[in-house]
Amino acid sequence: IIGLSGSLRRAATELAPAGCTIEIASIREIPLHDGDLEAEQGIPKPVAASKNRIAATDGLLLVMPEYNNSIHR
């Protein structure tokens, strides 16, 4: 499973069940989407590499943190 995290914390790798491997990937090199630039220059290399990496896995885990109790219950 590839894990994309909006936080530097990596608890999922420690909490994964036996036999499950979570490889943490980074979005640092992924540029903001610019359709005009993409039409001129094609898909950016980091985006294509991430797409291929995700397509080759058995799963994708997307995680976004809650900052400072920003989600109220």
Side-chain angles (χ1 to χ4, degrees):
I1 295 175
I2 295 287
L4 293 176
S5 175
S7 170
L8 294 177
R9 296 182 181 168
R10 307 283 197 282
T13 58
E14 297 169 10
L15 299 174
C20 178
T21 302
I22 299 177
E23 178 184 342
I24 302 299
S26 176
I27 59 172
R28 285 189 181 121
E29 303 299 319
I30 305 291
L32 294 175
H33 180 259
D34 183 335
D36 296 330
L37 188 61
E38 188 174 304
E40 290 176 13
Q41 300 178 7
I43 297 173
K45 288 182 183 180
V47 174
S50 291
K51 176 184 169 186
N52 292 336
R53 190 171 173 196
I54 291 168
T57 68
D58 292 327
L60 176 64
L61 175 65
L62 298 174
V63 181
M64 291 296 140
E66 174 186 354
Y67 286 105
N68 300 322
N69 296 314
S70 62
I71 298 174
H72 298 282
R73 295 177 182 95

